[in-house]
Structures are given as structure tokens and as C-alpha cells.
Amino acid sequence: MSRSTHAQSADGQLYICPMHPEIRRESPGRCPICGMHLEPLIPGSDNESEQREYQLMLRRFWSSLPITLLVLVIALGPLRAMPAGVRDWSELLLATVVVFGSAWPFHLWGLSSIRQRNPNMWTLIALGINMAYWYSFAAVLAPGAFPDALRVDGGLPLYFEAATVICTLTLLGQVLELRARATTGNAIRSLLQLAPATAMRVDAQGASVEVDLADIVIGDRLRVRPGDRIPVDGFVASGMSAVDESMITGEPMPVDKALGDAVVGGTLNTTGTLDISATGVGADTVLSRVIGMVAAAQRSKAPLQRLADRVAGVFVLAVVAVSVATFLVWGWFGPQPSWALGLVNAVAVLIIACPCALGLATPMSVMVGTGLGASRGVLFKDATAMERMRLVDTIVVDKTGTLTQGRPTVQQVLPERGHTGDEVLTLAATANGASEHPLARAVLEAARDRNLLVGQAQDFSAIPGLGVTVTLDASTILVGSRDLMDREHVTVARDVVTLATAGTMVYVAKDSHLIGAIVLTDAVKESTPAAVAALHADGVHVVMATGDAEGPASAIAALVGLDAFHARVKPEDKLQIVRDLQSRGRFVAMAGDGINDAPALAQADVGVAMGTGTDTAIAAAAVTLVKGDLRGLAAAMAISRATVRNMRQNLGFAFGYNAIGIPVAAGALYPLFGVLLSPAIAAAAMSLSSVSVVVNSLRLRRAAA
């Protein structure tokens, strides 16, 4: 089967190689390139395929272990004193059970690697096992066919114990690897469990019936009772409740939901019953996109992996060449029995050089790192983003929704002489009753909080970019900007104008006379000052680029301690700001949450989207902060540094291990110390190297804490 993407299977699941994402299959199995276990494209909450593979390999290991121990006792222990013929045939029969029973998959994977012309770790393991086994098999069946130079004390040495030990230790390595890899998917499985398996669909008569989540389609009306999780994305069609959205926002306080408010699948309904209309189902929900991002990041290759891939491409062939050379050099120039020693050392070279540690070095670090990030609300789109994040020295941030809450609120009401604050706010709320503008909603919310009686206006007219005008009790009410007041010849006092530097000013006039002004501000998130301080501690320069006016932008910059700010910028201006910083040698991350941030997010060396922002921003970014909290940037940089450090440790260990192990296995120490490496010991060293890489990768969870 070629390296192409296959059509998706009927159950919607594909299986993919974690080291070679181009390999995709409709059922579990092994990668034809590297021989690794194929994993689900999106890990399921039941984890069935991984568990089956793990349990099968565990049974193979336990079935081979007692037989291998018995072979060792016969070959090296007290049972060695039994008659030679009985001993040799006993070893042959027992070794056959292990080599072609418990370890049968190794032969298939090794043969597949040769057929695919992709030599890998299974090529070396299969060659080593078969060389040791078939040499020993021939020595038992036809001892007279061998030259006297191979004989020791009148008999031919057998290496059945080496073949069985290699098989058993390799099986143990597979068990440990599969178990470790299964744990890296816990973050995804915990996210999957947030979505309920069923939902209550409401029919035209208002009756509800329980259906599978997969049967929900866009437009369905669903009933969510208190204590239930919302099944899909949608909006409230009827009812009122408080919804716990902490899984998305990280905020512990439930959010009030009423008619028309958006809800996210997987969040928890706490108080009242809601009927919602589905707008996002299946892979189109926020939760599914988060899961997909984590899974894709875990499968992706880091730039450091390219070095390992280039080396692995020629490594196996080089090892085979070294093994052949070892056999010939020992046979021609070694001490007696030279050819027997040559065979032993050649097998040891094949086994100890198995590149499984090299292959696991960066994928294991990436998987653990992305899982750690997901648990902390940081989603890396791919391994490249994870590796590059540590290099960031300048971060450009949007203001609204990034530094601030993204929701304007009434900060102050400033009545003119002869008028009251309640009068100003009541008139403003009445005029904005039909407006959808965020500032209008903030005014209406402030009026409701004060229990003010909002009237019904007539002749509503919205003036784009300026404000609104209405008729109320035969009077003309104007609510809007200073430009609207100037256009309608309404005099604004100078001392009121100066207050505009602290926030957005909305002026209220009645019959061409100013009766007051309302100051609206977008409050800074409580976490923002601490987040900026943490970034400064990491040596990161923080710059704000906002479309807001100079006054509010300056006030925010001073409040949170930014290094620089740019006000009244358009999307193309943000893009140019990022380019200018890059031209000065800065490694730039852009953090934003809106569609207007998408160009700059794509241009930046690392784009960072707020998870509470728009889909467009998230799609353009390489990193998403699920909680919409800038503190996640410091966490992302810490995870990036720890993960890359872990990758380098793993690669250094893998390369160093082979640089030392191969010469020792070839017999380099024999002339000086008389030391030779048994194939069985080589197999133990090979397994230990892989386990060490896995353990070091799992240690990353504590190292980045």
C-alpha cells in the first residue's frame, strides 16, 4: 500500500503512524516505514486499539519469558550437563516456540521493511534473530557441514539463548513503549469525555427523546437539564440558566445564559433548563477542534526530527555493512574459533545498533509536551510551533479581548448641571433599545443593573460610525460620539472632552442640548499585569497594537506596563508592525483574538490566538491559549524550552549510545581487555536505550512544572 491518504473508514476512524503521518490506514497495524504501532487519528475515549495492541504484546512477552529462562538454564546453567544431543534439540525446540511463536511479528515487520525499501529497527532485529537462530539450527541438523575452525572443544557453539533473549527483551521494550505512549493520549481522552454520548432532542410538539450524539444535525432543538453537559455548540432558543464554561475560559464563575446567547458543547449547565438550537455538530464544535489540534500537534514532526530522519535513512544500511565487515574481519584475522566469534560479534552489532531509541527521541518529547500544554490550556498546532516558541523575544498583542475582557462596561455617568446620572443613562438606554452595537448593549446592561425604567422610542435611526437618533415624547434624542454632537451643533464642554483619554465617551443630547456623557471602558483582565510581568522576567518585549483611540490605548499601556503601543491601527497596520519588528532582527509572536488579527498572526514567527476569540484567528495561529489568558504565553514558552531541551537530551543519548555501542559490539575492546559483547547483552542494552528515552520524555511532565 502506498504512502497516500486513504478514504476514511465507515466508523469515521483512521489510523496513523506517529513518526510518519503520511502513513494512514483504515484499521490498526504497523507502519511499513518504521514498524511503529499505528494510532487512531483522533484517540477514542475507550482507547480500544491501543489497549488491544498492548495486551497482545504483554501476552507475547509473558509467554516467551519462562521459555527463554529455560533455554538459558539449558545452555548456561546446571542442565548443560545433559547429553549433548538432548541439550541441543531441547534448545532448538524451545527457541523455535519463542522465535517463531511469541516473536513472529518481528519477522513480518522486518520483511515488510525490506519490501518497502525502508530499512528500520525491525530490519536489524529480524536479521540478528535469524542469523543467530538459523546458524544454530544448521549446526544441530548438519554439524558435519561446518569447518573445524568453528568448533569449540570439539563441538559447534549454539546461540539459541541469544535469539530467545533478543526476542524476549524486544517484547519487553514494546510493552513498555506501548504503555508509555498510551499515557500521552490522556489529555485528549479527558477532553473527549466532556462531550455527552447522548442528547435530548425536542420535536415539533415539544416532547423530548434521547438520541445518540452522532444523530444530531444543525438546526436540531435540544433540551439540556440542570447538571447535564451541553451536547453541541449552539445558541439558547428558550430558557435561562448559568453555564460553567471553565473548560474553555478557565473562569470558575458560571456565565448567565438567556435567549440568543451562544453556548459551547461540553460545558456544564448548572441551574435552569435550556433549549438550544444546534449550530455546530461533530467535527465542527469548539471541543472537536481543540481535540483535533492536540492530536495533530502530537503527530507532527519537530525540525529536530529532520536530523534523526536523515540519519535513520542511511543508518540501517551502514550498520548492516559494519556487521558484514565485523564478520569478515574476525573470520580472517581473529583468534580461534575466528568465524564463530565473527558471527557472534556480527549479530551483536545488528542488535545493539537498533535505531528504536533514535526514532523515539523526538516524537515522545513532542507527545508529552503537547499533552502537558493541553492540560495547561496551551494548544500547539504542530511540533514546529512548539520548537519555535522558545525563541520569541517580542510579543505583539491586541488590546480588546487579549489584554482586556473584550466587553465594554459603563465606568462613569457625567450629567450636565440640572440633570441627574439616572436621567442620562435612562435616555441613552431608551435610545439604544434597538441597537446591536456593543456599546449600546453595555449601556442597556448598566440601566438594568440600576433598575431604571427604559422607555420605548420611535423613529430609530443608526448613523454608522457616529451613533443613533430617536424620537421620545416629541423630543429628539441623540446618543453617540463627539463627531455626532458636532454635526448636530451640540456644544460639548472642554472639561468633558478631556475625560475621553480614560475611555470611550458616549454623549447624550436632548433637543440639541447636551445633558451628559457616559464613560465606557473595556476593563483589563485581572491576569494581564501578572502575565506581562512574567513575560518581562523572561526577557520578552511586549508591544500593543490596537484599533482603539490614543487615549484609552495609552491608559492601558501605562496600567499594565507595556514596552510600547500603537493606537488606531488597522489590520494591515498590525501586519506591518510585525514585519518592521522582524526586519530589525526580532523573533516575533503575535497574540490576538479577532478576524482583524489574522493577517498579523499568519505573518508572525509564532501566531498566538486567544481560544475565546474567532475561528479565523485560531486557524491563522500556531498556538492557541484556550483560556484566553496571556499567562498562557509564559507557560507556552516554558513548555517549549523544556520540550526542546528534552528532545536534545534524547537525541544526544541515542546518538551517543550508538557511537559507543557499535564499536564495542564489533569487538573494539577485545585487543586491549579481551572483552566481547554477547548478542543477549546487546539486546538488553538496546531495550534499555529505548526505555531510557521513554522515561526521559515522561520526565518532561515534571521538568516543565
Side-chain angles (χ1 to χ4, degrees):
M1 197 173 286
S2 64
R3 300 189 201 179
S4 60
T5 302
H6 290 248
Q8 195 164 339
S9 57
D11 63 358
Q13 187 62 279
L14 284 175
Y15 296 84
I16 189 169
C17 174
M19 285 181 60
H20 299 90
E22 68 270 26
I23 298 297
R24 300 190 177 197
R25 298 290 185 266
E26 296 177 2
S27 60
R30 287 276 168 168
C31 174
I33 299 177
C34 65
M36 292 192 72
H37 171 59
L38 299 180
E39 299 177 343
L41 187 64
I42 300 295
S45 58
D46 55 4
N47 197 20
E48 287 184 4
S49 68
E50 294 179 13
Q51 285 298 323
R52 282 198 302 269
E53 177 77 4
Y54 169 70
Q55 292 297 331
L56 177 60
M57 202 59 66
L58 187 63
R59 287 195 298 270
R60 289 183 179 277
F61 167 72
W62 285 116
S63 67
S64 71
L65 181 61
I67 300 176
T68 298
L69 293 175
L70 184 55
V71 172
L72 285 172
V73 170
I74 293 173
L76 307 174
L79 294 182
R80 183 170 176 77
M82 68 173 60
V86 175
R87 182 184 67 236
D88 294 350
W89 277 97
S90 297
E91 287 188 51
L92 187 154
L93 293 174
L94 292 170
T96 301
V97 174
V98 173
V99 171
F100 296 104
S102 300
W104 176 245
F106 300 168
H107 304 279
L108 297 179
W109 301 336
L111 182 61
S112 175
S113 70
I114 296 173
R115 287 176 175 171
Q116 296 285 336
R117 297 181 182 178
N118 286 298
N120 54 47
M121 58 178 281
W122 299 113
T123 313
L124 299 182
I125 291 174
L127 283 173
I129 293 171
N130 280 280
M131 283 181 65
Y133 176 85
W134 289 113
Y135 163 82
S136 303
F137 181 87
V140 172
L141 262 65
F146 290 80
D148 291 340
L150 289 178
R151 300 181 186 276
V152 178
D153 297 330
L156 292 170
L158 304 179
Y159 298 104
F160 288 122
E161 82 283 356
T164 57
V165 167
I166 291 167
C167 292
T168 301
L169 288 175
T170 304
L171 286 167
L172 175 60
Q174 286 293 291
V175 167
L176 295 175
E177 177 192 327
L178 287 168
R179 183 175 180 180
R181 291 186 70 84
T183 64
T184 62
N186 287 344
I188 293 178
R189 283 186 284 276
S190 65
L191 289 173
L192 282 165
Q193 290 168 0
L194 292 175
T198 61
M200 302 299 294
R201 184 159 56 194
V202 181
D203 60 23
Q205 288 72 41
S208 59
V209 59
E210 188 172 16
V211 298
D212 289 339
L213 191 64
D215 295 332
I216 302 301
V217 298
I218 292 176
D220 278 353
R221 190 181 180 103
L222 308 173
R223 184 156 295 159
V224 186
R225 296 165 298 193
D228 289 347
R229 289 197 176 273
I230 294 172
V232 296
D233 294 357
F235 64 87
V236 177
S238 69
M240 296 180 63
S241 182
V243 176
D244 181 354
E245 296 184 331
S246 58
M247 75 158 208
I248 295 295
T249 66
E251 298 297 329
M253 292 297 293
V255 179
D256 291 333
K257 298 291 182 180
L259 182 65
D261 289 340
V263 291
V264 177
T267 55
L268 182 65
N269 183 28
T270 62
T271 55
T273 297
L274 293 176
D275 278 7
I276 68 169
S277 179
T279 59
V281 300
D284 293 328
T285 64
V286 171
L287 182 60
S288 293
R289 288 195 293 272
V290 168
I291 292 169
M293 290 177 67
V294 176
Q298 290 190 341
R299 293 191 305 271
S300 63
K301 290 186 182 181
L304 281 177
Q305 180 66 28
R306 298 170 191 161
L307 173 63
D309 288 346
R310 287 195 297 268
V311 172
V314 297
F315 181 76
V316 173
L317 296 178
V319 168
V320 172
V322 171
S323 178
V324 172
T326 299
F327 176 70
L328 295 176
V329 169
W330 272 91
W332 288 332
F333 305 109
Q336 294 300 321
S338 60
W339 291 103
L341 292 174
L343 177 65
V344 171
N345 291 333
V347 172
V349 168
L350 290 174
I351 297 304
I352 204 167
C354 173
C356 46
L358 185 62
L360 286 172
T362 62
M364 281 300 301
S365 296
V366 169
M367 291 186 70
V368 176
T370 51
L372 178 65
S375 68
R376 299 186 181 185
V378 179
L379 303 181
F380 295 96
K381 182 173 289 186
D382 52 35
T384 299
M386 176 180 290
E387 188 168 333
R388 290 167 68 86
M389 190 69 205
R390 79 192 197 283
L391 302 174
V392 169
D393 57 21
T394 302
I395 293 177
V396 179
V397 296
D398 180 38
K399 179 180 76 70
T400 305
T402 302
L403 298 176
T404 66
Q405 295 176 357
R407 187 178 66 253
T409 57
V410 173
Q411 184 72 22
Q412 194 174 8
V413 180
L414 305 169
E416 289 288 282
R417 185 174 302 173
H419 301 278
T420 65
D422 285 353
E423 180 188 358
V424 173
L425 192 57
T426 299
L427 284 176
T430 300
N432 281 293
S435 175
E436 294 295 328
H437 194 280
L439 296 181
R441 290 198 296 268
V443 170
L444 285 165
E445 184 175 325
R448 285 198 297 267
D449 290 343
R450 297 192 184 187
N451 295 318
L452 300 178
L453 183 61
V454 178
Q456 188 73 33
Q458 296 83 39
D459 304 325
F460 173 85
S461 176
I463 307 170
L466 296 178
V468 300
T469 175
V470 299
T471 300
L472 180 65
D473 297 331
S475 295
T476 300
I477 308 298
L478 301 175
V479 179
S481 66
R482 171 66 185 273
D483 290 339
L484 176 63
M485 299 298 116
D486 291 342
R487 196 186 80 164
E488 299 298 326
H489 307 293
V490 176
T491 302
V492 177
R494 185 182 301 274
D495 59 340
V496 175
V497 175
T498 59
L499 291 172
T501 58
T504 301
M505 297 292 292
V506 173
Y507 299 92
V508 182
K510 182 177 181 180
D511 294 331
S512 299
H513 294 286
L514 184 72
I515 66 169
I518 301 172
V519 182
L520 294 102
T521 59
D522 186 6
V524 171
K525 294 179 181 178
E526 292 183 6
S527 60
T528 296
V532 173
L535 291 169
H536 283 158
D538 279 340
V540 178
H541 197 70
V542 185
V543 178
M544 179 176 70
T546 177
D548 207 346
E550 185 84 11
S554 177
I556 293 292
L559 180 63
V560 302
L562 300 181
D563 297 290
F565 73 91
H566 302 269
R568 295 189 181 278
V569 298
K570 299 176 182 178
E572 57 269 25
D573 298 325
K574 292 184 180 182
L575 178 63
Q576 190 58 46
I577 289 169
V578 171
R579 286 175 174 167
D580 290 343
L581 288 168
Q582 290 172 327
S583 68
R584 297 202 295 268
R586 293 281 186 172
F587 201 88
V588 182
M590 169 69 193
D593 72 334
I595 293 175
N596 62 324
D597 299 317
L601 288 169
Q603 172 65 33
D605 296 294
V606 181
V608 181
M610 300 292 112
T612 51
T614 65
D615 291 345
T616 304
I618 293 173
V623 179
T624 299
L625 307 182
V626 176
K627 299 178 182 179
D629 186 338
L630 272 186
R631 286 178 298 187
L633 279 173
M637 296 180 71
I639 292 169
S640 173
R641 287 192 294 267
T643 302
V644 172
R645 184 168 59 246
N646 194 266
M647 289 180 193
R648 289 174 172 167
Q649 291 168 352
N650 286 347
L651 286 172
F653 180 82
F655 282 124
Y657 161 81
N658 282 302
I660 296 171
I662 291 175
V664 171
L669 298 180
Y670 186 81
L672 296 176
F673 305 105
V675 175
L676 291 177
L677 195 65
S678 161
I681 296 177
M686 178 270 294
S687 296
L688 181 62
S689 70
S690 299
V691 171
S692 298
V693 165
V694 171
V695 170
N696 188 55
S697 298
L698 295 178
R699 188 181 59 84
L700 174 61
R701 289 183 288 194
R702 293 192 300 272

